[in-house]
Amino acid sequence: MSSWPRFSAIAILTLSIISTTTIYAFPIAAPGTEGFVVIADSSDSITATYQGNSASYSNDLLLNGTFIFNNHATPVGTSVSLGNFVPGTELVFELFVHNTGDHFFTGPASRNPDSQLHARAQANWLPGTTLVSFEDLHGGPFAYNDLSFSFTNTTSISPVPIPGTLMLMIVGIGLLGGIAQLRRA
């Protein structure tokens, strides 16, 4: 009996596993972390490291308007100290797309011109390190494979907005407390 069919099946299975797990030669933040915010996790200095890109457009990464990296001019593996932040501070990273003039941000979709989520932020990609991957096209395709950066001494969390009903309830309880105070006076 020939071992060729068995070898072929194993080779095809191996290639399919490799192609689904390493399509790109750089890490991409995990699905399900779209719209997560990046938070300073300690008062230690935060270091940004450029992980790679598959973007044909020229993109800059910024924090508070300060340039960090350009995806075509910066060598993969380059690290930059971003300084120290108060623990719990949200770090809003901005992607500026030179070719289109678009600006996209980490966090909620409402920050972006197309009201879409343009960044994934995966906490503990490495211990104490958040991996952020951006989509640089207005309206998608949302593969988040255009550029990836990692940040030490950070975490990422899903922003949980207070629903309108809960907010109304909180305001109502506050009003009732105020009325009770007025009656006692």
Side-chain angles (χ1 to χ4, degrees):
M1 179 170 141
S2 170
S3 64
W4 176 250
R6 190 175 328 146
F7 174 76
S8 296
I10 292 170
I12 290 169
L13 179 62
T14 302
L15 286 174
S16 69
I17 291 170
I18 290 171
S19 68
T20 58
T21 58
T22 59
I23 293 172
Y24 301 99
F26 60 93
I28 297 173
T33 61
E34 296 85 356
F36 281 31
V37 295
V38 180
I39 305 292
D41 205 22
S42 74
S43 59
D44 294 336
S45 180
I46 293 174
T47 300
T49 302
Y50 178 52
Q51 298 294 334
N53 83 92
S54 67
S56 57
Y57 286 169
S58 177
N59 302 304
D60 290 343
L61 180 70
L62 303 115
L63 175 62
N64 300 326
T66 302
F67 174 83
I68 302 171
F69 300 120
N70 174 274
N71 65 324
H72 290 162
T74 305
V76 172
T78 299
S79 293
V80 173
S81 175
L82 303 180
N84 303 65
F85 296 85
V86 174
T89 300
E90 180 187 359
L91 306 174
V92 180
F93 292 97
E94 174 185 355
L95 183 73
F96 172 65
V97 185
H98 288 272
N99 304 67
T100 63
D102 286 320
H103 297 260
F104 300 115
F105 299 88
T106 53
S110 59
R111 292 179 177 162
N112 297 315
D114 59 358
S115 297
Q116 299 289 324
L117 299 170
H118 278 267
R120 289 180 178 167
Q122 178 183 345
N124 287 315
W125 169 66
L126 295 174
T129 303
T130 301
L131 177 65
V132 176
S133 301
F134 272 99
E135 172 60 54
D136 69 355
L137 293 177
H138 191 279
F142 301 107
Y144 302 94
N145 60 347
D146 293 310
L147 24 138
S148 288
F149 308 89
S150 61
F151 305 98
T152 61
N153 300 313
T154 59
T155 191
S156 68
I157 59 171
S158 176
V160 181
I162 297 176
T165 310
L166 181 58
M167 184 59 83
L168 287 174
M169 196 168 87
I170 291 169
V171 169
I173 290 170
L175 286 173
L176 288 173
I179 292 170
Q181 285 285 41
L182 287 174
R183 284 189 177 174
R184 284 188 209 141

